[in-house]
Amino acid sequence: MREEHTFHLHKYEYDEYGVTLKIDRMEDDKGAVKAYIEVTAHVDKFPGMEGSHITMGQQILSSIQGKKRLVEALHEDLPLPHWKSIVEQVCTKTIKKFWEGAPVVTIGKQPKKTEAPYLLYPVVRQDAPCIIFGPGGIGKSYISLYFSMLVQQNLSVGSFIPKQANVLYLDYESGEDDLNDRLAALSKGMGLDVELKYRYCHQSLANDVETLGTIIAEDNIGLLIVDAKGAAVGGWINESRQTMSMYNALRSLNVTSIIIDHVSKENQDAPIGSIYNFNESRNIWKLRKTETNDPGTLVLGLSNEKSNSGRKHPNMAMKFVFKDDEHGNVDTVWVSETEVEEHPDLMQDEPTHRRIQHLLKGNVDMSTGLSMPMSPDDIAQSLGIKKSSVTSRLSDGAYSGKPGWWARIGKGQFVYIPEANIPDTSEEIEPW
């Protein structure tokens, strides 16, 4: 007998008898473990059978009378002298596994990880939920499909480094045709032939978790795309109980996930809904769209709003170029990275020190080509931020007086330093 166990599916294959038993949808019913049992036959061992299915039904695994009736029914459908021992073994093993849960381990002296804990560096952490959020219609599905392709194909492109995993796209908003056409257009733009597992979803993820567990186990799924969270929690976006139910369901599946989400009406810099939405995700990325002169081009900025694995990652920008067919439908999509600095709208999400750096670097005398100094007041006014924020960054030793950043000259003036020849600032300087 061969057995496989995941959180939601227990599979027992009796090759010597030619039968397989699958047990899923387990639940505690007043102290008794209740589950669905599906029994199939190996048709190569029973050529006279019309199909492999024998029976499926709900069973209290600890019920003596229930197991006896199941054995009698199985023997009637397929006479085997071993049904009693098979049923007893399967029910007992499953109950023990259900009670057992995750094993207790000792932590503190285990070997440190030698590789980055990412399924897709630097965006998606391994075995944890990642949120990508932004306004409606911004292009979140194109981003999620692009990331899915990189993971499915184990394809490193630019800054993105994946580990191979099979992907399952859970669609709560669009439809099979829409996602199929977008994936085909992205594949054509990349010169690839990519297929992804797809599932049209109509009930909350927590209510669907047993079926998802079976799919994940049978198809060896390593990445779930949840598009989008609002429907995945059953529409209860502000309710902590429904939000936690979704995250607990994801945790039980033991799989990496990308959760597509919308922005909050009150705070455009946070995903919508309960605070647990922010707390339970390991990585959170915000999408911002910038305007371009080309209607066939979409530029999206990604800013790392939360990272539970070290410091936040630098902001990124992605460019999508669309080509339509003769019917006006998207035929090809080319994807590339672009510099955040090239798009002023996206610079708003950059950290203060990066915005100061970019401003000073661009403050050039056009006639001489030399960098021009600016005061903290001028910098604060240009960036639309508080002077106190500017001054604290300007005095930060991580940047001040270093090549590629800035140096202080004169009385409260700061200038971009492109090379290692730092100006002499040893003279007595008035405080700001």
Side-chain angles (χ1 to χ4, degrees):
M1 186 266 287
R2 292 178 293 137
E3 55 185 290
E4 298 177 19
H5 301 278
T6 65
F7 187 87
H8 294 281
L9 176 66
H10 300 260
K11 183 178 180 181
Y12 304 88
E13 294 184 84
Y14 290 85
D15 292 330
E16 63 272 34
Y17 304 136
V19 294
T20 295
L21 288 80
K22 294 181 183 179
I23 301 184
D24 65 2
R25 297 181 184 269
M26 287 158 285
E27 60 178 302
D28 190 310
D29 184 14
K30 298 179 180 178
V33 180
K34 185 185 293 185
Y36 277 85
I37 299 181
E38 180 182 7
V39 186
T40 56
H42 304 177
V43 292
D44 56 329
K45 285 200 176 261
F46 305 100
M49 294 186 65
E50 295 183 359
S52 61
H53 178 76
I54 298 178
T55 188
M56 186 180 76
Q58 194 177 52
Q59 171 79 32
I60 297 178
L61 303 184
S62 57
S63 170
I64 295 176
Q65 289 300 318
K67 288 185 287 186
K68 183 178 180 180
R69 288 193 295 269
L70 177 60
V71 169
E72 293 172 351
L74 290 170
H75 188 76
E76 183 178 341
D77 292 332
L78 182 65
L80 284 179
H82 309 288
W83 279 125
K84 183 178 180 180
S85 62
I86 290 174
V87 169
E88 184 62 31
Q89 184 180 44
V90 164
C91 290
T92 302
K93 279 180 171 287
T94 302
I95 289 173
K96 288 183 176 181
K97 283 290 182 181
F98 183 77
W99 285 344
E100 180 182 295
V104 175
V105 298
T106 301
I107 60 173
K109 293 185 178 180
Q110 295 184 13
K112 291 184 178 180
K113 293 181 179 179
T114 57
E115 57 183 9
Y118 286 87
L119 185 67
L120 178 63
Y121 181 86
V123 182
V124 185
R125 189 174 172 187
Q126 182 89 34
D127 298 328
C130 165
I131 286 181
I132 298 177
F133 73 96
I138 197 175
K140 296 187 289 293
S141 64
Y142 276 106
I143 282 280
S144 59
L145 283 171
Y146 179 69
F147 289 162
S148 298
M149 294 169 66
L150 299 184
V151 171
Q152 182 79 38
Q153 300 297 112
N154 195 22
L155 184 64
S156 295
V157 178
S159 302
F160 302 109
I161 305 172
K163 295 179 183 176
Q164 199 286 323
N166 294 334
V167 180
L168 173 60
Y169 202 109
L170 303 181
D171 178 16
Y172 292 85
E173 289 195 343
S174 299
E176 180 180 342
D177 292 342
D178 287 344
L179 271 298
N180 176 77
D181 293 350
R182 292 170 191 172
L183 178 60
L186 286 165
S187 299
K188 188 173 182 179
M190 297 180 69
L192 299 172
D193 184 12
V194 182
E195 290 184 313
L196 301 175
K197 294 290 185 181
Y198 167 93
R199 189 165 188 262
Y200 181 89
C201 299
H202 60 88
Q203 58 178 322
S204 71
L205 193 149
N207 289 341
D208 208 17
V209 69
E210 299 289 350
T211 298
L212 292 176
T214 301
I215 296 171
I216 288 169
E218 293 183 342
D219 292 332
N220 192 27
I221 300 298
L223 174 63
L224 276 184
I225 309 295
V226 181
D227 186 6
K229 189 208 72 186
V233 297
W236 299 91
I237 56 176
N238 294 312
E239 299 298 326
S240 58
R241 183 171 65 85
Q242 282 78 7
T243 299
M244 285 303 301
S245 293
M246 184 195 74
Y247 280 104
N248 287 338
L250 286 173
R251 184 176 176 83
S252 74
L253 294 171
N254 193 28
V255 67
T256 306
S257 58
I258 296 177
I259 303 167
I260 307 302
D261 205 356
H262 297 283
V263 296
S264 168
K265 291 181 180 179
E266 296 78 17
N267 183 5
Q268 296 291 303
D269 293 326
I272 195 169
S274 166
I275 187 62
Y276 288 104
N277 194 41
F278 186 91
N279 293 342
E280 293 299 316
S281 295
R282 304 300 90 188
N283 271 7
I284 298 180
W285 291 82
K286 179 178 71 174
L287 285 185
R288 180 193 291 272
K289 182 171 71 172
T290 186
E291 298 300 326
T292 65
N293 295 325
D294 185 352
T297 299
L298 171 67
V299 176
L300 294 176
L302 294 94
S303 58
N304 192 192
E305 303 299 304
K306 176 184 177 181
S307 174
N308 273 47
S309 180
R311 64 180 61 186
K312 292 181 182 179
H313 293 281
N315 294 348
M316 311 171 71
M318 304 292 296
K319 181 165 72 172
F320 294 77
V321 179
F322 299 82
K323 177 186 175 184
D324 292 347
D325 60 19
E326 63 274 17
H327 304 294
N329 300 313
V330 176
D331 177 74
T332 310
V333 180
W334 293 274
V335 186
S336 61
E337 288 183 66
T338 182
E339 295 295 329
V340 174
E341 290 84 354
E342 295 179 5
H343 308 281
D345 290 352
L346 302 184
M347 288 299 297
Q348 297 178 32
D349 289 324
E350 286 288 285
T352 300
H353 66 279
R354 291 278 288 118
R355 296 181 68 187
I356 295 173
Q357 178 199 40
H358 181 68
L359 177 65
L360 291 174
K361 184 177 181 180
N363 189 39
V364 176
D365 186 326
M366 300 303 295
S367 62
T368 64
L370 298 176
S371 297
M372 300 293 291
M374 296 182 72
S375 70
D377 285 318
D378 292 336
I379 295 172
Q381 184 175 1
S382 297
L383 298 180
I385 57 180
K386 294 179 180 179
K387 181 181 175 181
S388 58
S389 299
V390 172
T391 55
S392 62
R393 293 282 71 79
L394 287 173
S395 60
D396 192 329
Y399 318 108
S400 180
K402 299 196 175 175
W405 296 97
W406 54 76
R408 184 178 180 181
I409 60 173
K411 293 187 177 182
Q413 297 287 308
F414 292 81
V415 67
Y416 175 75
I417 304 301
E419 299 175 357
N421 53 329
I422 308 300
D424 181 10
T425 58
S426 59
E427 62 178 317
E428 189 69 26
I429 301 294
E430 295 282 340
W432 297 333

